[in-house]
Amino acid sequence: MPNPLRADCIAILSAASRIADTSTLIDLDYKHLGLSRNGMEVAATFLIERDCFTQHRDTNGLLAVGGLSLQGRMRLEQLTNG
């Protein structure tokens, strides 16, 4: 699997960080995130494999993620601060 771009990971993690309710999922739409479709899919898969979200769903190729897990918050902090 190719490595995701740092900016793509930050965009997805930032969107997920706004979720306050642990049972809520947001659909990942590359257009709303300002990413390419391939970039979003690579970054989302990378972050899901590393347990960055409290939950996730992949239905017919449409990805949705929940809020950030501890790992996700740490990764967002690491990516944004260097």
Side-chain angles (χ1 to χ4, degrees):
M1 173 167 65
N3 289 328
L5 294 175
R6 179 180 180 164
D8 294 350
C9 290
I10 290 171
I12 294 170
L13 291 169
S14 294
S17 72
R18 296 184 193 107
I19 299 173
D21 183 10
T22 59
S23 63
T24 302
L25 293 173
I26 59 165
D27 292 324
L28 295 180
D29 183 350
Y30 67 96
K31 294 176 188 173
H32 293 308
L33 293 170
L35 308 175
S36 70
R37 174 180 233 143
N38 186 52
M40 187 214 56
E41 290 175 356
V42 169
T45 301
F46 176 85
L47 296 168
I48 288 169
E49 288 176 352
R50 282 149 185 82
D51 295 325
C52 290
F53 308 103
T54 56
Q55 57 183 323
H56 70 279
R57 177 184 69 219
D58 183 359
T59 307
N60 298 328
L62 299 174
L63 293 169
V65 296
L68 296 180
S69 65
L70 177 59
Q71 176 66 24
R73 288 191 300 270
M74 290 172 35
R75 189 163 300 270
L76 179 59
E77 179 73 22
Q78 176 188 34
L79 290 170
T80 56
N81 292 326

